[in-house]
Amino acid sequence: MVSLALLRGQRFLKPPLTPKEKRGHRWWQLVPVEGMMKVAISLTGIITEFFYPPGVNRMMMVDWEDPRRPFVFYDNWYHVTMYGFFTLSGVVDIVSRACQAQQNVKLERAAEALAFCVLVLLMACHLENKGTLEVRTHLLFVAPTFLVTLVLTMEVWVPDQPTLWVLKTWMGLVLSTWMLQLCVLMYVPPSGQPWRAENPGDLAFLLIFFCWHLGFGAIVLAAVYGLCSLWHHRISSWREVPRAKYQLCPRSYSSEELEKLGTEAMLQDGGI
């Protein structure tokens, strides 16, 4: 989307929708796919946090049987809170595009920025009672998340800045790939040996890998832009028809010369 928007010189990354009455009345013409995906994926994450593996139930927040009334399953409630705000963002998208007469783009961006802001806060607080390795990986996760949050907040007021589109997409790619890297390092190392927080070499390579993710995201952006550029120019060349472009008519011609030029053009085009 970013590559095509840049190549086409669009003013907005996602142009506002036409009024509701001009979009048709079928539900698939009104309900936004992006909003539905946010809701579906977030609800799946919430159900997984509470009830996976089958047979468990982590919905209890306070152990009332203990006299100290301790909080329980707080890690799961961290994740559920994060998913909840992304669910809210999806609901705002659906209401804005399907229920209102005119799309409220600023409200959609504000809801998405709020979801990422909550993600930053939760991940920053998620570092408590964690080992050195987990703290380092989560801090590196917070960095691109904060940049995405900052860009989304700025886009509420200045949505027509291509530089912000590129930065948001780049950091979004890094955020996604680093999430996979984090899961691999913490739970399923390819070598079969767990990463050792007390080993300076393991911690050093953690930062090296994050820098590689930054480079990988930039390469993916450049590759997608290059492919879209080839496609865009090829489609543009196919659509160009000889003698189909308008040309300014010189004012120095007389009426007889203009009639002669018009007759010659009609003969060349087969009388059309």
Side-chain angles (χ1 to χ4, degrees), residues 11-268:
R11 184 181 176 187
F12 298 104
L13 179 60
K14 291 185 283 187
L17 297 176
T18 56
K20 184 180 177 181
E21 62 272 8
K22 296 182 180 180
R23 279 180 271 158
H25 299 283
R26 296 182 175 87
W27 66 269
W28 59 83
Q29 295 176 325
L30 298 175
V31 178
V33 177
E34 184 178 349
M36 293 296 295
M37 289 180 62
K38 286 182 184 179
V39 173
I41 294 173
S42 299
L43 290 179
T44 302
I46 291 174
I47 295 173
T48 302
E49 290 292 333
F50 281 147
F51 305 110
Y52 185 84
V56 303
N57 186 351
R58 304 188 188 93
M59 291 192 67
M60 183 175 61
M61 182 180 292
V62 179
D63 186 0
W64 298 102
E65 296 180 358
D66 192 324
R68 297 174 297 174
R69 304 292 189 267
F71 288 105
V72 293
F73 305 124
Y74 47 85
D75 282 346
N76 301 97
W77 280 100
Y78 269 120
H79 299 155
V80 167
T81 303
M82 173 189 70
Y83 289 133
F85 276 88
F86 279 101
T87 304
L88 175 64
S89 175
V91 171
V92 170
D93 290 348
I94 295 172
V95 171
S96 172
R97 303 182 195 186
C99 301
Q100 292 187 334
Q102 185 66 41
Q103 180 187 10
N104 194 332
V105 180
K106 287 190 175 182
L107 182 61
E108 295 177 20
R109 292 197 180 97
E112 191 172 16
L114 176 63
F116 275 91
C117 183
V118 170
L119 178 58
V120 172
L121 293 174
L122 292 175
M123 285 298 154
C125 297
H126 203 46
L127 305 178
E128 298 177 0
N129 301 321
K130 302 293 183 183
T132 306
L133 180 65
E134 291 182 83
V135 170
R136 187 73 60 89
T137 54
H138 281 78
L139 283 177
L140 293 174
F141 180 81
V142 168
T145 309
F146 174 75
L147 288 177
V148 172
T149 305
L150 185 62
V151 171
L152 287 171
T153 305
M154 295 172 63
E155 283 189 332
V156 174
W157 291 278
V158 284
D160 54 346
Q161 296 297 319
T163 306
L164 296 181
W165 306 345
V166 176
L167 178 60
K168 178 179 65 175
T169 307
W170 182 27
M171 289 299 103
L173 285 171
V174 175
L175 180 64
S176 304
T177 58
W178 185 249
M179 173 68 80
L180 297 176
Q181 179 81 56
L182 188 150
C183 294
V184 169
L185 293 180
M186 302 298 297
Y187 305 108
V188 192
S191 63
Q193 296 294 327
W195 279 60
R196 296 160 295 177
E198 68 279 1
N199 188 344
D202 287 6
L203 295 180
F205 268 97
L206 197 65
L207 183 58
I208 292 173
F209 285 165
F210 181 76
C211 294
W212 288 358
H213 280 267
L214 291 173
F216 176 74
I219 291 173
V220 169
L221 274 180
V224 172
Y225 182 83
L227 292 174
C228 289
S229 179
L230 292 175
W231 178 84
H232 179 72
H233 291 304
R234 180 63 61 87
I235 293 298
S236 299
S237 63
W238 286 348
R239 290 178 178 176
E240 289 182 358
V241 181
R243 298 186 303 275
K245 295 182 178 179
Y246 290 102
Q247 297 181 357
L248 293 177
C249 182
R251 296 182 179 180
S252 58
Y253 288 158
S254 62
S255 58
E256 292 81 4
E257 290 173 327
L258 291 176
E259 291 179 1
K260 182 179 179 181
L261 289 173
T263 303
E264 292 177 355
M266 291 180 64
L267 292 175
Q268 291 176 359

